[in-house]
Amino acid sequence: MKKKIGVLVMSYGTPKSLDDVEAYYTHIRRGNPPAPEQLKELKDRYEAIVGGVFPLRENTDRQVEELQAELNRLELPDAEFVCYQGLKHTEPFIEDGVRHMAADGIAEAVGIVLAPHYSTMSVGSYIKRAKATAEEAGVRMSFIESYHLHPKLIEAFAQRVSAKLDAFVETGAKREDVKVLFSAHSLPERILSMGDPYRDQLLETSEAVAEKAGVSNWQFTWQSAGRTAEPWLGPDVLDTMKELSEQDVRYMLVSPLGFVSDHLEVLYDLDIEAQQVAEELDVRLMRIDSLNTDRLYMETLADCVLTECRKGA
Ligand code: FEC
């Protein structure tokens, strides 16, 4: 009989419905319920993207299914992979995923996050929670901390950048006149003094994607900063767009490299909010397609899991 290896696939999570937004937001705020106006503002953003449907849930479900299929397609002679979801801010929580594996009799597992870059505030906190539950539940787990320079990931992003640059050319723009704006979720500035690798890893991914796509006209910018009093990493994409338009840049391609799915931070922050600013500035803005279940992305994840398993073998 084949040995079963668990794969805990961790992701941010999204509310189950509009009624669930309050509980979800309270969890993000570490148990502090949002004020009514904050809650309304977040619900309005979800309603604006898809009228109350939450695309991240379906995207994560499909990524997890396809990763399991990809891992088992590789047909290791003595192992079968079983993927479990573990979400940061909603059910099934990271802890639920680990307990589910233990209840299914899985003794050995690998954890991976659907976010390529490591920060103690993002991937680090997913791993910390999974590790603590795995120790309690008696599951031997190892983790992939980042995969931001995996060649297949770089290729997947570069293909998307090239495809949208071609779309610009079809509308009459010159490829070299398009400013490529690589972006990622901002975090509080204090991560820099903590020696966190997040910013450097994002810059490394940006450089590698630009090189692969043959792009020299690019810069990195942040997006989706939290609504808290402390300073967050900047410049924000909206400010970057304003500054570039003052320098007469008319074509911009925003390329979020820190996200792997269509969700609120892409479909609202970029497709609605940044598009509105682009219209005001008379700038033509496009966005690269999200990876979702892109074959190269699934192969990246599968390769990372297999490499981790071989290390432990
Ligand atoms: O579509 C969806 O339902 C979920 C979209 C979503 C993703 C996401 C990814 C990241 N976040 C990261 C950091 C923070 C920090 C805070 C924070 C707050 C929010 C709020 C919403 C939200 N995030 Fe998020 N994030 C998504 C959604 N995020 C909604 C609350 C309202 C707001 O501020 O807009 C501040 C709270 C805190 O201190 O914890 C920090 C990072 C990522 C990318 C890595 C990852 O996926 O884990 C980093 C998707």
Side-chain angles (χ1 to χ4, degrees):
M1 204 172 91
K2 285 188 177 185
K3 175 171 80 170
K4 284 197 173 164
I5 300 177
V7 181
L8 182 70
V9 189
M10 293 175 277
S11 173
Y12 205 79
T14 190
K16 294 183 206 68
S17 65
L18 279 176
D19 288 341
D20 188 38
V21 173
E22 186 168 8
Y24 173 77
Y25 202 177
T26 303
H27 192 273
I28 290 180
R29 294 164 50 87
R30 297 173 197 78
N32 296 310
E37 59 278 14
Q38 290 173 309
L39 181 60
K40 180 179 180 319
E41 196 262 346
L42 182 56
K43 280 189 173 178
D44 286 350
R45 278 193 276 149
Y46 278 113
E47 285 195 285
I49 57 171
V50 269
V53 182
F54 297 84
L56 183 57
R57 184 164 294 272
E58 198 190 324
N59 285 329
T60 304
D61 287 350
R62 288 179 43 226
Q63 285 169 327
V64 175
E65 271 167 32
E66 295 213 10
L67 172 59
Q68 178 167 299
E70 177 66 24
L71 283 165
N72 290 319
R73 200 179 56 75
L74 300 169
E75 287 187 10
L76 288 197
D78 54 351
E80 181 192 346
F81 290 93
V82 190
C83 289
Y84 295 81
Q85 268 189 49
L87 306 179
K88 192 175 187 190
H89 293 302
T90 189
E91 289 164 347
F93 286 106
I94 291 169
E95 293 76 6
D96 299 329
V98 177
R99 289 194 195 106
H100 194 173
M101 288 196 287
D104 287 352
I106 287 187
E108 198 182 310
V110 175
I112 190 162
V113 181
L114 297 177
H117 305 88
Y118 184 90
S119 164
T120 39
M121 287 186 75
S122 63
V123 171
S125 74
Y126 291 74
I127 293 179
K128 198 170 161 199
R129 285 170 53 184
K131 236 182 205 165
T133 314
E135 273 163 20
E136 274 168 35
V139 180
R140 187 152 50 88
M141 278 195 84
S142 62
F143 296 91
I144 291 128
E145 293 199 334
S146 63
Y147 46 89
H148 67 292
L149 282 178
H150 193 289
K152 289 188 176 180
L153 179 81
I154 301 302
E155 175 66 35
F157 278 132
Q159 283 179 2
R160 281 164 163 69
V161 169
S162 293
K164 279 286 148 66
L165 288 175
D166 290 346
F168 265 109
V169 171
E170 276 166 27
T171 67
K174 284 197 202 125
R175 204 177 156 96
E176 58 276 18
D177 287 345
V178 182
K179 178 69 90 177
V180 177
L181 296 176
F182 294 119
S183 70
H185 201 297
S186 179
L187 280 175
E189 257 178 35
R190 69 187 140 90
I191 64 157
L192 297 183
S193 58
M194 291 155 52
D196 197 278
Y198 186 61
R199 186 178 64 173
D200 289 347
Q201 288 192 355
L202 283 158
L203 289 174
E204 285 168 7
T205 307
S206 304
E207 270 164 29
V209 172
E211 196 188 331
K212 188 88 199 168
V215 169
S216 52
N217 189 12
W218 65 272
Q219 75 186 59
F220 181 80
T221 189
W222 298 99
Q223 63 164 94
S224 314
R227 291 146 172 80
T228 62
E230 69 178 320
W232 286 63
L233 292 167
D236 182 79
V237 64
L238 304 181
D239 297 326
T240 301
M241 288 168 60
K242 284 175 199 152
E243 203 184 306
L244 288 170
S245 85
E246 280 159 19
Q247 295 162 22
D248 227 15
V249 176
R250 302 267 62 94
Y251 307 112
M252 300 180 200
L253 172 59
V254 67
S255 309
L257 300 180
F259 298 130
V260 298
S261 289
D262 281 320
H263 51 56
L264 190 71
E265 317 295 74
V266 172
L267 301 173
Y268 186 86
D269 296 3
L270 298 179
D271 292 359
I272 296 180
E273 200 177 33
Q275 262 318 334
Q276 271 165 7
V277 171
E279 268 172 45
E280 284 159 27
L281 298 171
D282 195 22
V283 159
R284 190 175 308 150
L285 177 73
M286 291 196 203
R287 167 178 71 77
I288 61 165
D289 292 339
S290 298
L291 296 177
N292 295 318
T293 51
D294 177 272
R295 185 104 306 272
L296 287 169
Y297 181 47
M298 293 300 107
E299 288 175 12
T300 301
L301 295 173
D303 187 44
C304 292
V305 170
L306 285 179
T307 306
E308 191 57 39
C309 285
R310 288 194 187 110
K311 273 197 229 160

